[in-house]
């Protein structure tokens, strides 16, 4: 991965807003900027190419054909355009005709994890946890809208005033959210979370300072011990990545069922059934929720159930499953602290609309869940485990918990990097002896308080 950010790849980035739209003059064309030429060539190609024929071709072939046509056209239009410029122009034209326009190069760049179009001239991207403003410019809101239609049309979805918000997926698995005026008044807006096929392992997470090696050992033991574990964090804090890495510790002999909306996990075990929720179709029919899938999964003889992210009433069925013999379940929840995570789950159970008194729900929570791993993304872009918290029971109306590991921040260095360390709190988990009983060896030092380092 490139260590320097600006100037790498086909698009530029800057942390500050560019004063004017960048305009790259084309040699041999006085004062015609690149994007103007791309637009003109796009129009000409649309007229020259047979749209029906092109759309029925396999993607690679289609790209090659459009590339050839663009090259021929460019030789005619700008005979003396130089090598790099020529390749850039042809690339941009092809992206317009068959790709996702100005953001296509970003989407292909494996070091970019997120692409965010707020407005035609306001395109951000994320690389290694840090958000940058790019110099990418759509021509206008219609241009953004046209790319949106290209994203959703193959999926049989539509975006218009009556349904101004749509979730979609690119062929490579990347997730897309689109929201258009009048709900986002300034401009149609696109948010793309890139799909990464190269999932991080626990070793990668240790190398990325997300977790400390001994804590990882501890969590490995917890997965083996079949503790019900929730991974908590805000959007993009790495919950799904962490869950995926943790799942590697599930023994291969077990039958795993994953439930997601949409699918993101890539488990390495051979015996996995992956289920995916489905939104309603245009007529509002055919929806299959995570809750439907979870209920069905109980009839599929699971050894482990993994719910990619609990968001709604399926929380009720999840707790039930955890409490009735499906131990070792893993899931993630969108929350900013372990305590907040519990409150979220409690609220989601209420969404199941069963009129359960909150005390009864909390008892369910307290007995079902064993462990919460809290993640946060810090200002230096590093995702860190901030808490590993054990749920210990109930005291009166309150679910009790104790932190086993925490991240202690001690400062920020001159480059803005967070200084601190992860440490055990010195509290031994109530299930510590179960490790021994299960024949799982953990070094004693795991639970010792560390100072500095
Ligand atoms: N620990 C990590 N260190 C660096 N990058 C990470 C880490 N965890 C996740 N990422 C990257 O951050 C992005 C969001 O990760 P994801 O697991 O989908 O987050 P969440 O599920 O919390 O929304 C992905 O591009 C992923 O590759
Ligand atoms: Mg996620």
């Amino acid at each position: 991965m490139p260590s320097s950010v600006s100037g790498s790849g086909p698009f530029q980035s800057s942390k500050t807003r560019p004063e004017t739209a960048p305009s790259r003059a084309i040699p041999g064309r006085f004062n015609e900027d690149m994007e103007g030429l791309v637009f003109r060539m796009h129009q000409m190609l649309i007229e020259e190419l047979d749209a029906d024929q092109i759309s029925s071709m396999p993607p690679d072939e289609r790209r090659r054909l459009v590339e050839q046509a663009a090259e021929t056209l460019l030789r005619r239009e700008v005979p003396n355009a130089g090598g790099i410029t020529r390749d850039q122009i042809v690339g941009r034209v092809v992206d317009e005709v068959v790709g996702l326009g100005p953001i296509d190069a970003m989407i292909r760049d494996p070091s970019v994890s997120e692409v965010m179009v707020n407005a035609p001239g306001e395109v951000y991207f994320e690389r290694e946890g840090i958000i940058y403003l790019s110099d990418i410019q759509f021509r206008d809101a219609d241009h953004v809208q046209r790319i949106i239609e290209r994203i959703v049309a193959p999926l049989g979805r539509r975006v218009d005033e009556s349904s101004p918000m749509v979730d979609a997926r690119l062929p490579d698995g990347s997730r897309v959210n689109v929201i258009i005026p009048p709900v986002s008044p300034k401009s149609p807006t696109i948010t793309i979370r890139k799909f990464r096929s190269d999932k991080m392992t626990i070793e990668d997470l240790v190398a990325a300072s997300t977790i400390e090696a001994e804590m990882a050992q501890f969590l490995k033991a917890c997965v083996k011990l079949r503790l019900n574990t929730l991974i908590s964090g805000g959007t993009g804090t790495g919950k799904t990545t962490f869950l995926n890495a943790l799942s590697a510790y599930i023994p291969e002999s077990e039958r795993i069922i994953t439930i997601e909306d949409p699918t993101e996990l890539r488990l390495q075990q051979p015996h996995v059934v992956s289920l995916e929720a489905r939104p309603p179709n245009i007529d509002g029919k055919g929806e299959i929720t995570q809750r439907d899938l979870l209920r069905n999964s109980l009839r599929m003889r699971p050894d482990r159930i993994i719910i990619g992210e609990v968001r709604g009433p399926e929380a009720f069925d999840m707790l039930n499953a955890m409490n009735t013999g499906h131990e070792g379940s893993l899931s993630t929840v969108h929350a900013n602290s372990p305590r907040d995570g519990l409150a979220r789950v409690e609220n989601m159970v209420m969404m199941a609309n069963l009129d359960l008194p909150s005390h009864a729900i909390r008892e369910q929570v307290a007995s079902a869940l064993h462990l919460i791993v809290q993640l946060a993304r810090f200002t230096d872009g590093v995702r860190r485990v901030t808490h590993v918290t054990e749920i210990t029971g109930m005291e009166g109306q309150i679910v009790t918990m104790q932190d086993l590991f925490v991240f202690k921040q001690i400062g920020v260095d001159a480059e803005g990097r967070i200084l601190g360390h992860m440490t055990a709190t010195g509290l031994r988990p109530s299930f510590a002896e179960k490790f021994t009983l299960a024949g799982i060896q953990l070094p004693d030092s795991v639970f010792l308080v560390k100072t500095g380092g």
Side-chain angles (χ1 to χ4, degrees):
M1 260 185 206
S3 55
S4 121
V5 168
S6 14
S8 64
F11 49 90
Q12 307 284 310
S13 66
S14 67
K15 278 182 159 181
T16 51
R17 168 157 263 302
E19 289 299 308
T20 53
S23 125
R24 280 166 252 180
I26 307 298
R29 277 261 155 186
F30 184 65
N31 239 356
E32 175 158 16
D33 74 279
M34 177 144 137
E35 284 303 311
L37 177 64
V38 168
F39 177 65
R40 222 160 38 78
M41 286 180 60
H42 179 203
Q43 301 303 312
M44 288 190 261
L45 277 180
I46 290 177
E47 307 222 323
E48 278 179 26
L49 295 167
D50 179 347
D52 288 342
Q53 187 209 348
I54 290 184
S55 58
S56 64
M57 285 176 155
D60 283 356
E61 212 174 297
R62 185 182 341 160
R63 223 185 151 83
R64 253 193 322 274
L65 181 124
V66 174
E67 205 167 77
Q68 276 166 10
E71 267 165 20
T72 312
L73 182 62
L74 184 63
R75 265 199 299 277
R76 199 171 76 207
E77 288 293 304
V78 192
N80 51 351
I84 296 172
T85 322
R86 195 178 57 222
D87 292 349
Q88 274 184 356
I89 296 168
V90 169
R92 276 287 301 114
V93 172
V94 174
D95 288 344
E96 280 303 318
V97 180
V98 297
L100 296 183
I103 55 175
D104 205 274
M106 255 185 195
I107 289 168
R108 287 194 308 265
D109 183 336
S111 71
V112 170
S113 51
E114 203 120 5
V115 178
M116 296 149 278
V117 181
N118 298 357
E122 213 180 295
V123 179
Y124 290 86
F125 65 95
E126 184 195 80
R127 182 179 275 151
E128 286 169 23
I130 299 175
I131 292 178
Y132 300 92
L133 178 64
S134 77
D135 68 355
I136 286 174
Q137 304 269 332
F138 284 82
R139 267 185 315 282
D140 49 29
D142 283 348
H143 191 191
V144 181
Q145 182 73 27
R146 197 164 53 69
I147 296 305
I148 289 176
E149 267 144 33
R150 186 160 299 159
I151 294 170
V152 302
L155 304 164
R157 312 291 299 276
R158 62 162 195 239
V159 195
D160 54 28
E161 268 195 36
S162 66
S163 82
M165 300 182 281
V166 168
D167 284 314
R169 194 149 22 143
L170 299 181
D172 73 356
S174 299
R175 283 156 60 172
V176 188
N177 175 268
V178 160
I179 181 158
I180 65 165
V183 192
S184 81
K186 184 166 77 172
S187 163
T189 300
I190 311 175
T191 312
I192 299 178
R193 164 79 60 88
K194 296 260 306 281
F195 179 77
R196 285 186 57 153
S197 45
D198 55 330
K199 289 289 184 199
M200 297 176 91
T201 62
I202 286 279
E203 289 72 37
D204 294 332
L205 295 178
V206 171
S209 305
T210 297
I211 187 169
E212 191 258 333
E214 277 193 341
M215 282 166 65
Q217 277 238 314
F218 168 78
L219 291 179
K220 175 179 183 176
C222 291
V223 172
K224 291 238 162 85
L225 207 58
R226 309 189 70 89
L227 297 186
N228 293 320
T229 302
L230 215 50
I231 295 154
S232 165
T235 306
T237 51
K239 301 183 293 297
T240 303
T241 304
F242 201 92
L243 172 61
N244 202 76
L246 210 54
S247 75
Y249 296 139
I250 299 175
E252 294 217 333
S253 55
E254 295 189 15
R255 172 166 166 86
I256 307 170
I257 300 192
T258 66
I259 293 166
E260 294 180 89
D261 178 15
T263 49
E264 286 181 284
L265 296 170
R266 283 288 175 279
L267 268 57
Q268 62 177 43
Q269 287 82 353
H271 194 157
V272 180
V273 180
S274 153
L275 306 177
E276 183 177 48
R278 184 173 77 181
N281 64 17
I282 284 177
D283 305 319
K285 295 204 179 80
E287 179 175 22
I288 295 176
T289 64
Q290 292 204 114
R291 189 171 192 194
D292 299 329
L293 295 176
L294 183 49
R295 289 175 161 191
N296 193 83
S297 74
L298 298 176
R299 297 191 287 271
M300 296 170 72
R301 200 221 161 270
D303 285 314
R304 302 257 184 174
I305 300 171
I306 299 183
I307 304 168
E309 181 176 337
V310 264
R311 306 204 182 96
E314 71 276 6
F316 171 73
D317 307 79
M318 177 182 81
L319 296 181
N320 248 342
M322 288 171 167
N323 272 326
T324 55
H326 296 288
E327 303 221 310
S329 298
L330 302 169
S331 187
T332 75
V333 65
H334 187 285
N336 295 323
S337 69
R339 177 62 69 190
D340 182 27
L342 290 190
R344 293 284 165 126
V345 172
E346 203 180 308
N347 279 327
M348 290 186 273
V349 172
M350 285 179 190
M351 285 160 70
N353 222 350
L354 298 150
D355 287 332
L356 285 174
S358 67
H359 184 76
I361 297 177
R362 284 186 195 156
E363 268 178 354
Q364 281 265 33
V365 170
S367 64
L369 292 173
H370 301 122
L371 210 61
I372 298 190
V373 178
Q374 181 69 40
L375 286 164
R377 189 168 73 176
F378 285 71
T379 45
D380 56 358
V382 177
R383 279 104 168 156
R384 293 183 178 88
V385 172
T386 60
H387 303 78
V388 175
T389 303
E390 179 192 1
I391 291 152
T392 48
M394 288 272 290
E395 253 177 51
Q397 294 292 315
I398 292 169
V399 178
T400 50
M401 33 197 212
Q402 62 175 11
D403 292 337
L404 304 175
F405 298 91
V406 291
F407 177 72
K408 284 214 184 317
Q409 182 173 346
I410 49 178
V412 180
D413 75 7
E415 271 86 55
R417 283 187 296 256
I418 305 286
L419 301 171
H421 61 278
M422 290 174 197
T423 172
T425 57
L427 296 172
R428 290 180 78 84
S430 65
F431 47 82
E433 26 339 341
K434 288 193 191 157
F435 288 137
T436 333
L437 290 177
I440 301 167
Q441 300 295 327
L442 277 179
D444 274 344
S445 58
V446 170
F447 300 116
L448 293 182
V449 180
K450 292 171 191 68
T451 52

